[in-house]
Amino acid sequence: MTVLPEEDRLLSPHTGWTRAHWAAHADRMLAALEPYRSPGLARVDLPGPASRYGPDSDGLEGFARSFLLAGFRIAGERGAGQEALIERYAAGLAAGTDPRHPEHWPRPDRLGQAKVEAASIALVLQLTRAWLWEALDDGVRERTVDWLATVVGQPYPPINWVWFRVVVESFLREAGGPWSAADIEEDLAVHATLRRPGGWLSDGAEERAYDHYTGWALHLYPLLWTRLFDVTGTLCPPELPDRWAADLGHYLKDAVRLVGADGSPLLQGRSLIYRFAAAAPFWAAAFTGVDALPPGMLRRAASGVLRHFADHGAPDGRGLLTVGWHHAWPAMRQAYSGPGSPYWAAKGLLGLALPADHPVWTAREEPLPVETGDQARVVAAPGWLASARRDTGIALVLNHGTDHAAPGATTADAPLYARLGYSTATAPPLTGPAAAQPLDNAVVLLDHAGRATHRAGFVTHYVSELPGGVLAAASGGQARWVDTSADDSPDHGSGRAGAVAPGPVLTVASVLRDGVEVRLARVAGEDAGTWRELRLGGWPVTADEPPTTEATAGVASAAGAGGRRPLAAGATRGAPSAGLRSTVRSLLGLDRSGVTSLTDVTPLGRHTAVPWLATAGPPSPGAVLAALVVLDRSDATPPAVPEVTVGPGDLVTVGWPDGLVSEVTLPA
C-alpha cells in the first residue's frame, strides 16, 4: 500500500495535503487496478454487477476513465518517471482499437456509452501527445483514428454529451482524421442553450437539471477544449473562451460555498458515485487561468474534497472506487453505472496535470468561506438559498427551483433533485418507502391510504434576498399523487412516471436567516375529500447507530450520536452525522409531531431518522401553516423562536427575536 507523505501544515494548514499527497494518492489508485487489467491491457474489468450496457462496455469504461488519471500524472510530470503508465496504456490502445483482437472495444457508432469513453481517450491523447500519441506506431494511430471517427455524424443527446463529440472530433482534426465542422457547430449551439444566469448551466435545455454536472462536465470540457486544442478563432468563435471563463468564475463563487468545512460536497443530483469529481471545476480554473478564486483557496477546496473521501473509505482498503459514496452502497447505482463508472472521479485530480511549481501548488492554503464566517447567498439559476454556518461547518441549500423536470411536468419527485433541502452532512432516503413517498424536506398532502403527493414540475415564484441578510424563496403548483409501480424505465435521474391523481394547489416558501429556516405552506381550494392532512418533514439524520429521537406537542427532533467533531478536512474519520441534530417546531397550525425511523436508506449509515409535523386534519382553504426547520449540532444552543403573522392578502410576516421583521408573499 502506498504510504502518504507527512502532512505539511505550513503550506496546507487546513488539509495538510500537498501535491506529493495527491500524486501518491493517484499512484495508489492506479496500482490497485493492476489485478483487474485484461491480458491485452485494453480493459479494466473491475468487480461488481455489470451495467445495462454489458461487460464489454464496462471494461472499456474502466480503461478510459483510469486513462484520465494516468494522463494527468503523465502530463504533470512531462512524462518523467511515467514510462510504465505510458507503455501500459499504449498497449491497451493497440489492443482495444484492433477489431481482430479478442479485447477490441465496442465502437461508438454501435454503443452509445462508448461515445462517453471515446472523449476521455481523445482528451488524454491530446494532453499527453508528446509522450504517448507521438510514440505510438503508425498502425496503432491509424486504428485509433478509425475507432474514434465512428462518432462523426452520430446523434448525441442535447446535454453534457455534446462535449464528448466536440472533444473527439477536435482531436481527429488535429490527428488528420475525419471530422465535421457542422457537428461541432451544432454542439456549440446546444451548449449555448444550457447557459443560465450566474455561470450555471442546466444539463438539458428543457429540464431544470442543476447538479454537479455543471462543474465536472459543462464547465470542464469547454475550457479544456480551448486550452488544449487549436480551435479559437476557427472552430471556436473568439468571444466564447472569455464568456466561458466568466461563467466559470461566477459559478465557482457559488460552488466554493457548497463545500462543507469537512470537505464534503453537496449530496444532491445524479451520478454521486463520481464523488471527488466535484473538485474538477476548481482545477479547471487553475489549469486554464480563470482568476475567480485565489490559488490557495482553489487547492483548499479541491484537497478538502479529495481528503474527505480518502478519510471516509474511498478508495477502499483495496485501493478501489466502488459504487457508493464513502463506502460501497449499491443502491446508488443508476442504469448507466458499471464497476468502472466511479472512475470518472479522476476528473477531480486534474490538478496533477499542472507542474509542481504552478501557483496552485505553491500558494499557501486559504480557508473556505464557511471557515471564515457564516454564509448566506441566493443562487438564482437553480433556485437555491445557500447557507453555511461556521459553528457547524455544514453547507446547505433550500431548493425552490430544481427538480430535473420541466415546469408543468407530472412525474414523481426524484429524491436527489426535488426535495426542499440538501446539505453536505445529510442525504435523502434513496431506497424504501420514503424514496417514493416524499418525507424528508418535503411538504406533502397525505391521502386516506397514507400516500404522499409530489411537487416536480412546480413553478418558482421568487428567490430573493431581503433586508437584514434574510433570504426568501417560494414555489408551488398542483400537488398530485403518482402511481409509479408500472414504470421500469432506466434511472437517469428524473422522477418516475405513472398514473396521476390530481390534488389542490400547494405553495411552499422558505425564509432563511443565520441557517434557521421558517418554512411556510398554504393549500388553495376546497378540500375534495381526497386527502386527510398536510405533513412537513425536516432534515434526515443518518448514523451507524439509531439516532436519538423525541416528539412532543408541536416539536420533533432527531440527533446522531457523538459530540461536536473537528471541522478541518481529514481531522477525523467519524461519520459526517456525528452530533447532527434535526428539529422541526410548529409555529402555525401543525399540531401533530413524530419521527420516522428508517434502515439502510442512505449511503451515510445504517439508521436514518426524519422528524415531521402534521395537521390534525385538512387545514382550512388558504390557511397558512408555518414551522421552524433547523439542522445544527446537538450541543448547539437551540435557536430562539420567531413569530409568524398572516395577512392581509398573501402577505406573511416573520418577526425575528432580535426585532428584525421580514415580509414575504405566499400566493394562495
Side-chain angles (χ1 to χ4, degrees):
M1 178 180 294
T2 302
V3 177
L4 293 178
E6 291 293 322
E7 292 184 357
D8 184 342
R9 292 284 172 174
L10 291 177
L11 183 63
S12 302
H14 299 277
T15 69
W17 276 31
T18 65
R19 190 179 188 278
H21 295 82
W22 280 75
H25 193 72
D27 290 345
R28 181 194 174 214
M29 289 176 60
L30 287 165
L33 299 176
E34 291 307 307
Y36 306 99
R37 295 188 188 276
S38 59
L41 301 179
R43 294 166 55 141
V44 178
D45 294 310
L46 291 160
S51 72
R52 67 190 296 256
Y53 305 116
D56 289 344
S57 173
D58 296 341
L60 165 61
E61 189 173 58
F63 176 94
R65 298 189 179 198
S66 65
F67 191 33
L68 283 169
L69 183 53
F72 300 157
R73 289 293 284 131
I74 294 166
E77 305 304 325
R78 301 303 185 258
Q82 306 303 310
E83 291 81 7
L85 276 182
I86 293 170
E87 291 175 5
R88 191 170 290 116
Y89 281 94
L93 281 164
T97 58
D98 184 351
R100 300 163 299 177
H101 196 282
E103 296 176 14
H104 70 271
W105 296 329
R107 290 172 25 160
D109 60 339
R110 296 174 182 171
L111 177 70
Q113 186 62 32
K115 296 174 180 176
V116 182
E117 311 319 321
S120 293
I121 292 170
L123 185 69
V124 174
L125 289 176
Q126 184 71 5
L127 180 66
T128 63
R129 175 178 286 272
W131 308 285
L132 203 167
W133 177 252
E134 292 179 0
L136 296 174
D137 66 45
D138 291 343
V140 176
R141 284 202 297 265
E142 290 172 6
R143 292 199 307 270
T144 302
V145 166
D146 289 344
W147 185 80
L148 292 172
T150 63
V151 310
V152 178
Q154 289 294 308
Y156 279 64
I159 56 173
N160 70 88
W161 278 47
V162 296
W163 281 102
F164 305 150
R165 185 166 66 174
V166 170
V167 166
V168 171
E169 295 201 20
S170 297
F171 176 78
L172 288 168
R173 173 176 174 260
E174 298 195 10
W179 63 283
S180 167
D183 282 354
I184 293 176
E185 183 179 356
E186 176 185 330
D187 294 336
L188 294 181
V190 169
H191 181 82
T193 70
L194 309 182
R195 295 179 67 242
R196 299 292 184 270
W200 282 76
L201 296 107
S202 176
D203 196 19
E206 302 299 328
E207 293 185 332
R208 298 174 291 198
Y210 299 101
D211 52 28
H212 289 292
Y213 273 89
T214 292
W216 67 40
L218 290 168
H219 279 305
L220 182 70
Y221 289 109
L223 290 171
L224 289 184
W225 181 57
T226 60
R227 176 66 179 268
L228 296 177
F229 295 92
D230 181 19
V231 293
T232 301
T234 54
L235 298 181
C236 178
E239 70 275 7
L240 287 186
D242 289 343
R243 182 183 304 166
W244 292 339
D247 283 348
L248 177 61
H250 291 308
Y251 169 76
L252 286 180
K253 291 176 182 178
D254 291 331
V256 76
R257 289 170 170 80
L258 301 179
V259 178
D262 67 349
S264 178
L266 198 68
L267 278 94
Q268 180 272 339
R270 68 187 179 101
S271 298
L272 290 177
I273 63 170
Y274 302 157
R275 296 178 172 101
F276 42 84
F282 300 108
W283 290 127
F287 193 91
T288 59
V290 174
D291 185 17
L293 301 173
M297 188 181 295
L298 290 173
R299 191 175 83 252
R300 162 67 184 104
S303 290
V305 170
L306 183 64
R307 180 153 192 188
H308 173 83
F309 287 100
D311 285 343
H312 288 87
D316 66 13
R318 301 166 296 174
L320 299 179
L321 293 178
T322 55
V323 173
W325 185 247
H326 294 145
H327 308 285
W329 205 69
M332 293 184 76
R333 183 183 310 280
Q334 293 177 292
Y336 48 83
S337 303
S341 295
Y343 282 81
W344 235 27
K347 291 181 175 185
L349 286 90
L350 170 65
L352 284 170
L354 295 169
D357 60 357
H358 190 281
V360 79
W361 291 120
T362 60
R364 194 168 190 264
E365 275 186 349
E366 297 188 27
L368 294 171
V370 68
E371 294 171 307
T372 61
D374 295 349
Q375 303 293 313
R377 190 174 182 89
V378 170
V379 187
W384 289 349
L385 306 180
S387 174
R389 293 190 55 130
R390 186 179 183 185
D391 62 349
T392 67
I394 299 169
L396 61 84
V397 298
L398 302 180
N399 171 34
H400 289 269
T402 296
D403 54 2
H404 210 288
T410 58
T411 55
D413 294 350
L416 285 168
Y417 286 97
R419 297 293 186 259
L420 286 165
Y422 297 94
S423 85
T424 59
T426 65
L430 302 179
T431 65
Q437 304 293 331
L439 169 64
D440 66 295
N441 275 315
V443 177
V444 300
L445 306 177
L446 299 180
D447 67 9
H448 295 287
R451 298 187 309 148
T453 53
H454 296 262
R455 70 189 287 258
F458 59 78
V459 172
T460 299
H461 294 304
Y462 54 83
V463 184
S464 61
E465 183 172 355
L466 305 179
V470 178
L471 308 181
S475 57
Q478 185 176 54
R480 63 197 176 279
W481 293 270
V482 185
D483 180 0
T484 62
S485 58
D487 184 354
D488 60 356
S489 59
D491 175 15
H492 291 124
S494 297
R496 296 197 171 277
V500 173
V505 171
L506 174 60
T507 304
V508 179
S510 298
V511 186
L512 181 66
R513 186 187 188 204
D514 296 333
V516 175
E517 177 193 5
V518 174
R519 189 174 296 173
L520 308 169
R522 193 174 199 177
V523 183
E526 297 294 329
D527 172 36
T530 58
W531 55 285
R532 71 185 192 206
E533 62 187 40
L534 179 144
R535 185 183 67 200
L536 181 150
W539 291 91
V541 173
T542 300
D544 293 330
E545 300 296 329
T548 301
T549 64
E550 184 176 2
T552 59
V555 183
S557 65
R564 185 182 302 277
R565 62 196 178 93
L567 299 180
T572 176
R573 293 177 183 269
S577 55
L580 199 64
R581 178 177 61 192
S582 170
T583 306
V584 287
R585 178 184 296 273
S586 177
L587 301 178
L588 285 177
L590 295 160
D591 304 312
R592 298 178 55 237
S593 64
V595 180
T596 297
S597 297
L598 306 162
T599 304
D600 293 331
V601 296
T602 89
L604 297 181
R606 179 168 173 75
H607 301 278
T608 298
V610 183
W612 53 264
L613 303 172
T615 58
S620 302
V624 174
L625 310 169
L628 192 67
V629 181
V630 182
L631 179 67
D632 60 7
R633 300 286 180 186
S634 55
D635 55 359
T637 302
V641 180
E643 182 179 354
V644 176
T645 56
V646 180
D650 295 340
L651 186 68
V652 179
T653 301
V654 178
W656 302 97
D658 64 355
L660 180 68
V661 175
S662 302
E663 294 183 341
V664 297
T665 58
L666 191 65

